[in-house]
Amino acid sequence: MKFGVVIFPGSNCDYDCWWAIKQVTGERVDFIWHKEKNIENFDCIVLPGGFSYGDYLRTGAIARFSPVMRKIKEFAQRGGLVIGICNGFQILLEAGLLPGAMRKNKNLLFVCKYTYLRVENCSTPFTRLFKRGQILRMPIAHFEGNYYTDQDVLSKLKKNNQIIFRYCNRKGEITEEDNPNGSLEAIAGICNKEKNILGMMPHPERCSEAILGSEDGKIIWESIVESLKDRNRGKK
Amino acid sequence: MREPEKIDAEIIKDHGLTVEEYEKIKKALKREPNFTELGIFSVMWSEHCSYKSSKLILKKFPTKGSNILVEAGKENAGVVDIGDGLAVVFKMESHNHPSAIEPFQGAATGVGGIIRDIFTMGARPVLLMDSLRFGPVSDPKSRYLLRGVVGGIAFYGNCIGIPTVGGETFFDESYKGNPLVNVLCLGIVKKNSIIKAKAEGEGNTIFYVGSSTGRDGLGGASFASRELTDESHKDRPSVQIGDPFMEKLLLEATLELIRTGVVVGMQDMGAAGLTSSTVETASRGNSGAQIDISRVPRREKGMIPYEVMLSESQERMLVVVKKNKEEEAKKIFKKWDLNAVPIGKVTSDGVFKVKEGEKVVASIPVKSLTDDAPIYLRERAKPKYLEEANNLDLSSLPLPENIEKVFVKILSSPNISSKRWIFEQYDHMVGTNTILLPGHDSAVVRVKETRKAIAVSCDGNGRYCYLDPYEGGKIAVAEAARNVVCVGAKPLAITNCLNFGTPTDPEIFWQFTKCVEGIAIACRELETPVTGGNVSFYNENPQGAIDPTPIVGMLGLINDFSFLCTPWFKKEGDLIILLGNGEKSIGGSEYLQCIHQLKKGRPPELDLTTEKLLQKTCLELIKKGLVNSAHDVSDGGLAICLAECCILNRENLIGATINLERDIDEREDILLFGEVQSQIILSCSPQNFPYIEKIANKNKISLKLLGKVGGENLIIKKEGKVLISKNIKEIHKIWENSLVKEIKI
């Protein structure tokens, strides 16, 4: 089993993801340079957070043209697991691998803090070890995490159970006050219809060790490993 | 820009050079300088680069220690051994002037500059901190500066991906129009991979790496070396523009390059850009250097040599590469899409020679620009304001009618209340090492693949220094050390930023000297040598000088991070202990300023011997796992400290009941809000109390049982009489929301 963490120029959570996955799963994790054209040997690709190309234009707008992105599209079409975190989520949106777009946070400020999340769908390869409705404590750090899409797409997201995480309070209630960025319906993470591409603004790699104050992120890595194990068993 | 035909008195004056200094230049060159050479001398001899006014005084600092690997002044940052084959590289620098006129970019480039100082030594930067000073929040201009500065720090730090893990912010009238932006960066390096800022080895190649050169920041070093005036906004073009993305590429490429072993030395092109980086590296290597500026990548047409040499365009570095290894270096920079151009060679003749193609445009002995730069011992005189300012007549101060109202007012003072609005704009978790989130005594980051953690605290009280610069200097060191001790770290060494007015004013220079002496004695006593830092003079606006503000950045080391201690109360029934017994004073206190609008009296006295014992005791208690929390009594006094202990963990607010029995302080305001040195509030399980008492007695540190943790209120009584009784949720709400409310006016 092999994880790949993509490095775009300006990625800055690449090493954090590498470290967290290694600590939690003990599996092999390699870096993938953004100019790489061969990603055949990977089982799960991580698009990490950061400011790819400085994000001076729109977040993720340039990174989607990196050579590796075409390969990632093919990889995902074959059913490979792709998880985009923060800037990685923004890149997935820009690349059209997930629907919708990001606006600047409602208060027009960068925000870094712990938030509470509610798990909305636990039958994806990324969330299978959670319980539905489980409340997680996970940090965010972004300027553009205010998710938006039109009503048509939103109803499809709902119909297909593609909304994976919502911001909530510690009791799990969805409130205006606990929505840190103004995101539509407090959406914090979504996946594609096939459930093999996940995009999320919160950072699971920042809460995968007890010493960091929360271990809720661990379960995402563990879920991925379980899913890949199942898949490999199927292959055999 | 066009080169003037003749250098006249006016041009010399515009370059900030005196007649005597110009004569000294002529003597060094044995001829008249040309315009480019004059420019080079003016920036190298500026206060900013040469430390000409401060050098002699800074010699008072202790700089040696068993774990100091690179002594202050020898390199661009201090290097401290932390064991496990690792070293910490850290430094603090100011960017006050640029931030005063263009707060966003001024602060952003301040962050960029100090980061380059760290990674050019081969260290990976792991944390940033900021000490900020502004005029009162009620002043719209100060709010504009605050928003801009915080935005600029966030823009740069967040993008480059180095967590801004803490710092401090303070508001006072004296910083109106002259904010202070002091940025600390700390990196970690393998001891055997430290890179020096040295150009040596004849024939080795000098590379120019990074952004292209433009006219931005032209003369920034000289701009930083004069006072701010009403006309200063015209200097806005002197402020550089930051490009954190470019710097992220530089950072990664540089660290990758160092691993190849082809690097001889490198230095950031900071103040005075290409000039200072070439000259200083050559000087340290006792070499010469020859460069051809026609090879320097430029972003503007028609730049004359003077402009190329003095530009302060950001995100540029000078890298000296072993000869015949140039291609290896080029390959790595190409991978990161960076400019990397060989512009010259290290020579052995001790001359700094600048050519443009075949034409020599400057030729100057290296040492005349560095070691032989002018040094002054400025005149000193005890400030006249002191006698009046130190004289505080307590009897003229009315006792507050409602002490609880006073408590609430101090709690909501911008200097005391939560700085969440600021630190939530900074990515303080990237790197996944932050094990104590911002908003506490110290920032703490763990060191991956070891059990160690680094604790850093920034401290400096301008009010104390205004009233007594010597005591203020001492206190800055002691408080910073106490802060790292409270999280369980042993203080190791300091860096500092010394922010003062104009050094040619004898009263300012007296303040400077006294502060340095205070810092020096405290560092000696607490065994925390000075590893470097920066001096920022000319912090004056048209109304006068800022309060003397030395900021100390203390490095502490935790050997096993499972013993990390936090400041907040944890468990119902825990005992609350006051460790230490300093003399309270309301001189220079937040209470006096906030309630009586006075900056008077004398700061609390600090006995360094007691302080050292106190810190030793506290560390011992933490390391033995006997205490559940530790928080030092500081701004706002005992009442504020206790309130903070109740509310600092907002996931678990917890009350306390305090009984101050038979205290010798007669006035209630002094008892609750008087400020003090060498005191720490601890909490512990009742069964641990006897052991704690024993250790305190052994170390001859006084200890007082104050009360118990628990309930939903903070209740403070004096001999049974309730002075304060307030719901902890209310206290938290006031403390948490006050600054935000003021900023959003």
Side-chain angles (χ1 to χ4, degrees):
Chain A
M1 194 182 298
K2 196 160 89 173
F3 285 81
V5 178
V6 180
I7 303 178
F8 297 98
S11 293
N12 63 30
C13 303
D14 42 354
Y15 181 71
D16 298 354
C17 288
W18 179 89
W19 171 267
I21 299 169
K22 266 208 115 51
Q23 292 296 307
V24 173
T25 71
E27 300 289 341
R28 183 163 169 195
V29 194
D30 285 357
F31 287 115
I32 303 172
W33 184 239
H34 70 117
K35 288 177 184 164
E36 184 60 53
K37 293 195 184 97
N38 181 0
I39 54 165
E40 295 296 318
N41 298 321
F42 292 94
D43 298 292
C44 175
I45 304 276
V46 182
L47 303 187
F51 286 67
S52 52
Y53 294 93
D55 279 343
Y56 294 144
L57 189 55
R58 229 171 33 243
T59 50
I62 297 180
R64 80 177 179 99
F65 294 109
S66 277
V68 78
M69 283 310 292
R70 188 183 301 165
K71 294 290 153 188
I72 289 174
K73 260 184 202 173
E74 292 167 11
F75 175 82
Q77 272 159 10
R78 291 196 305 270
L81 298 186
V82 179
I83 171 170
I85 300 162
C86 199
N87 194 225
F89 185 11
Q90 293 160 342
I91 295 167
L92 289 173
L93 293 173
E94 287 288 336
L97 285 167
L98 290 173
M102 288 298 175
R103 297 169 299 184
K104 286 211 186 315
N105 297 345
K106 62 183 172 189
N107 65 356
L108 300 180
L109 295 174
F110 188 98
V111 59
C112 173
K113 65 175 183 182
Y114 264 98
T115 58
Y116 288 99
L117 302 178
R118 195 171 75 191
V119 182
E120 304 288 290
N121 179 350
C122 56
S123 47
T124 77
F126 309 96
T127 54
R128 55 188 281 177
L129 297 178
F130 289 116
K131 285 192 219 80
R132 180 143 193 262
Q134 190 172 338
I135 298 155
L136 315 177
R137 202 168 154 262
M138 225 182 253
I140 54 166
H142 58 249
F143 207 142
E144 290 168 14
N146 182 350
Y147 180 80
Y148 184 77
T149 189
D150 59 33
Q151 279 306 315
D152 188 34
V153 172
L154 182 66
S155 54
K156 278 184 191 147
L157 287 177
K158 285 181 177 170
K159 199 177 122 219
N160 299 325
N161 290 321
Q162 286 171 255
I163 298 171
I164 310 300
F165 301 112
R166 278 197 166 97
Y167 299 108
C168 62
N169 62 17
R170 50 204 293 196
K171 290 184 206 143
E173 299 153 348
I174 311 288
T175 70
E176 173 86 31
E177 202 192 343
D178 295 286
N179 181 341
N181 50 30
S183 200
L184 182 71
E185 299 221 354
I187 287 174
I190 57 169
C191 70
N192 61 340
K193 203 174 154 197
E194 292 73 25
K195 315 282 191 297
N196 65 319
I197 306 175
L198 170 68
M200 61 190 297
M201 288 315 291
H203 288 267
E205 81 280 12
R206 296 187 180 185
C207 52
S208 291
E209 296 169 82
I211 182 80
L212 298 174
S214 166
E215 291 185 280
D216 291 347
K218 259 169 93 166
I219 303 167
I220 289 187
W221 314 119
E222 286 165 351
S223 294
I224 294 172
V225 170
E226 284 292 302
S227 308
L228 290 173
K229 270 188 193 157
D230 275 2
R231 206 180 269 196
N232 291 344
R233 257 180 236 131
K235 266 184 206 161
K236 278 171 200 162
Chain B
M1 186 185 239
R2 284 182 68 179
E3 204 160 309
E5 278 168 24
K6 202 179 163 305
I7 290 170
D8 54 28
E10 197 165 331
I11 291 178
I12 294 167
K13 195 171 158 242
D14 282 351
H15 279 76
L17 292 162
T18 63
V19 177
E20 296 76 35
E21 285 171 342
Y22 187 72
E23 288 306 314
K24 201 171 150 90
I25 292 173
K26 285 203 302 199
K27 224 167 148 190
L29 292 177
K30 302 192 183 77
R31 59 178 165 82
E32 297 268 342
N34 64 33
F35 186 56
T36 307
E37 289 167 334
L38 182 79
I40 291 172
F41 271 105
S42 80
V43 289
M44 289 307 297
W45 286 7
S46 70
E47 191 64 60
H48 196 85
C49 291
S50 73
Y51 289 80
K52 58 186 166 191
S53 300
S54 58
K55 222 174 195 168
L56 289 173
I57 306 295
L58 297 177
K59 288 205 168 120
K60 294 173 189 275
F61 284 146
T63 56
K64 289 184 172 38
S66 56
N67 45 16
I68 305 296
L69 297 175
V70 173
E71 257 179 59
K74 297 272 193 304
E75 291 291 336
N76 288 313
V79 186
V80 182
D81 194 341
I82 58 163
D84 287 335
L86 298 173
V88 156
V89 178
F90 76 131
K91 191 187 178 185
M92 195 174 216
E93 214 165 66
S94 62
H95 232 218
N96 305 339
H97 280 62
S99 305
I101 51 169
E102 174 30 52
F104 188 95
Q105 289 296 344
T109 51
V111 175
I114 188 70
I115 293 172
R116 285 193 298 282
D117 274 344
I118 302 305
F119 74 74
T120 49
M121 295 193 69
R124 178 169 284 278
V126 296
L127 69 86
L128 290 164
M129 286 176 88
D130 312 279
S131 276
L132 309 177
R133 300 289 183 274
F134 300 95
V137 204
S138 52
D139 164 41
K141 176 81 187 288
S142 298
R143 287 202 299 277
Y144 156 78
L145 290 172
L146 170 69
R147 278 198 201 95
V149 165
V150 171
I153 292 170
F155 161 72
Y156 210 102
N158 296 353
C159 180
I160 197 167
I162 301 165
T164 302
V165 293
E168 38 137 31
T169 309
F170 192 85
F171 304 90
D172 186 273
E173 194 70 30
S174 89
Y175 306 108
K176 212 169 167 178
N178 196 134
L180 301 185
V181 177
N182 292 184
V183 189
L184 179 148
C185 183
L186 180 149
I188 291 176
V189 61
K190 284 201 181 110
K191 255 163 73 175
N192 53 15
S193 322
I194 298 165
I195 296 293
K196 305 277 172 83
K198 241 181 213 176
E200 55 188 0
E202 190 178 1
N204 284 334
T205 301
I206 298 172
F207 271 84
Y208 169 108
V209 180
S211 274
S212 47
T213 296
R215 291 190 173 94
D216 48 328
L218 208 55
S222 344
F223 161 59
S225 304
R226 57 181 182 260
E227 295 155 27
L228 291 166
T229 66
D230 289 334
E231 300 284 295
S232 285
H233 63 275
K234 289 185 185 158
D235 281 322
R236 255 181 112 193
S238 279
V239 180
Q240 312 88 331
I241 306 295
D243 180 354
F245 171 60
M246 172 65 81
E247 181 139 313
K248 170 72 176 164
L249 302 182
L250 270 179
L251 159 65
E252 296 302 335
T254 302
L255 295 181
E256 195 171 325
L257 180 67
I258 289 168
R259 287 197 288 270
T260 65
V262 304
V263 176
V264 177
M266 62 172 104
Q267 183 166 329
D268 158 42
M269 289 188 205
L274 185 56
T275 295
S276 66
S277 55
T278 321
V279 170
E280 287 171 11
T281 48
S283 178
R284 283 193 203 98
N286 293 315
S287 311
Q290 181 173 324
I291 60 172
D292 176 1
I293 53 169
S294 67
R295 314 199 61 171
V296 169
R298 302 179 195 193
R299 67 171 79 128
E300 285 178 83
K301 281 198 181 132
M303 289 177 75
I304 61 171
Y306 176 95
E307 291 171 309
V308 176
M309 292 312 294
L310 266 57
S311 161
E312 290 190 7
S313 292
Q314 292 285 292
E315 289 86 24
R316 304 179 302 160
M317 288 168 20
L318 193 84
V319 182
V320 184
V321 173
K322 287 179 188 161
K323 58 183 158 195
N324 303 323
K325 299 285 182 191
E326 293 84 353
E327 288 311 310
E328 235 174 289
K330 277 187 188 166
K331 212 173 109 195
I332 287 171
F333 288 118
K334 192 164 176 237
K335 174 187 161 189
W336 290 95
D337 299 318
L338 288 166
N339 280 319
V341 190
I343 57 164
K345 298 268 178 211
V346 178
T347 59
S348 58
D349 59 4
V351 173
F352 177 47
K353 194 178 270 183
V354 184
K355 293 168 101 177
E356 191 179 37
E358 282 310 303
K359 192 180 164 205
V360 176
V361 295
S363 179
I364 307 171
V366 169
K367 294 289 180 189
S368 72
L369 293 165
T370 55
D371 298 0
D372 301 338
I375 295 177
Y376 301 109
L377 183 58
R378 303 286 187 194
E379 264 180 62
R380 286 167 283 186
K382 189 172 175 182
K384 287 181 234 21
Y385 72 80
L386 271 178
E387 204 183 324
E388 157 74 19
N390 284 152
N391 185 9
L392 174 66
D393 177 16
L394 270 184
S395 60
S396 71
L397 274 190
L399 258 176
E401 278 172 30
N402 184 332
I403 203 95
E404 196 171 288
K405 269 192 186 157
V406 170
F407 169 68
V408 168
K409 195 159 179 210
I410 297 176
L411 195 66
S412 47
S413 144
N415 289 335
I416 299 292
S417 59
S418 165
K419 308 295 183 292
R420 188 173 300 279
W421 182 86
I422 297 173
F423 67 72
E424 279 190 350
Q425 293 186 53
Y426 305 147
D427 188 340
H428 48 259
M429 299 187 220
V430 63
T432 61
N433 294 321
T434 314
I435 58 174
L436 182 60
L437 298 179
H440 304 115
D441 296 332
S442 292
V444 186
V445 294
R446 56 116 177 240
V447 183
K448 283 198 177 107
E449 293 177 81
T450 73
R451 297 293 298 167
K452 294 191 157 91
I454 306 281
V456 189
S457 170
C458 297
D459 222 294
N461 188 321
R463 258 184 226 148
Y464 290 177
C465 292
Y466 169 81
L467 296 171
D468 188 338
Y470 180 73
E471 283 298 314
K474 270 166 65 186
I475 289 173
V477 177
E479 280 220 32
R482 206 181 310 129
N483 285 339
V484 303
V485 162
C486 283
V487 296
K490 184 179 190 306
L492 292 185
I494 73 155
T495 179
N496 59 45
C497 245
L498 308 174
N499 307 278
F500 290 84
T502 301
T504 45
D505 176 339
E507 296 195 348
I508 299 287
F509 205 67
W510 185 88
Q511 291 176 334
F512 173 71
T513 308
K514 288 290 164 193
C515 271
V516 168
E517 286 170 354
I519 292 172
I521 184 84
C523 284
R524 239 176 264 277
E525 201 63 37
L526 300 176
E527 294 170 73
T528 53
V530 180
T531 61
N534 128 291
V535 179
S536 172
F537 283 128
Y538 303 98
N539 289 295
E540 304 212 2
N541 60 29
Q543 279 75 50
I546 59 161
D547 285 350
T549 312
I551 304 289
V552 169
M554 178 66 69
L555 167 70
L557 182 67
I558 301 176
N559 269 320
D560 181 350
F561 54 64
S562 52
F563 286 94
L564 169 72
C565 186
T566 49
W568 55 82
F569 293 151
K570 308 218 165 35
K571 267 179 25 213
E572 296 260 342
D574 272 4
L575 302 181
I576 299 168
I577 299 166
L578 179 67
L579 195 66
N581 188 25
E583 184 86 8
K584 286 196 190 82
S585 164
I586 56 170
S589 67
E590 184 63 28
Y591 163 73
L592 202 57
Q593 181 69 48
C594 183
I595 305 297
H596 301 282
Q597 287 78 47
L598 288 175
K599 198 188 288 184
K600 287 192 81 164
R602 282 189 180 277
E605 271 172 31
L606 168 66
D607 177 60
L608 285 166
T609 317
T610 311
E611 179 69 36
K612 199 176 174 184
L613 280 174
L614 172 91
Q615 295 188 10
K616 186 181 157 219
T617 309
C618 185
L619 259 188
E620 194 175 339
L621 296 173
I622 292 172
K623 280 184 181 164
K624 291 205 163 126
L626 291 169
V627 294
N628 291 336
S629 73
H631 185 32
D632 85 315
V633 183
S634 173
D635 301 3
L638 183 65
I640 295 298
C641 178
L642 287 165
E644 287 171 349
C645 291
C646 295
I647 58 175
L648 273 175
N649 178 12
R650 61 171 176 167
E651 301 282 328
N652 184 27
L653 306 178
I654 191 160
T657 304
I658 306 294
N659 233 322
L660 303 170
E661 299 282 351
R662 287 191 300 277
D663 206 290
I664 47 157
D665 296 306
E666 21 187 45
R667 288 178 65 125
E668 287 166 359
D669 52 357
I670 299 183
L671 176 68
L672 294 177
F673 311 116
E675 293 177 12
V676 66
Q677 289 298 300
S678 313
Q679 283 194 0
I680 296 172
I681 294 280
L682 305 170
S683 71
C684 71
S685 310
Q687 72 262 27
N688 287 345
F689 184 71
Y691 302 103
I692 294 172
E693 212 174 15
K694 217 168 152 188
I695 291 173
N697 287 342
K698 178 194 78 182
N699 291 335
K700 299 191 179 63
I701 284 297
S702 95
L703 173 145
K704 224 183 277 175
L705 195 56
L706 293 189
K708 253 187 196 168
V709 176
E712 288 174 354
N713 300 302
L714 171 64
I715 302 165
I716 303 180
K717 299 185 228 176
K718 185 191 175 190
E719 290 167 337
K721 178 189 163 201
V722 175
L723 300 179
I724 293 173
S725 173
K726 209 161 177 62
N727 183 277
I728 216 71
K729 278 187 190 153
E730 267 179 65
I731 293 179
H732 180 249
K733 210 167 145 192
I734 294 163
W735 178 78
E736 195 67 271
N737 297 328
S738 297
L739 182 61
V740 189
K741 267 191 210 151
E742 288 226 39
I743 291 168
K744 287 190 176 161
I745 294 169

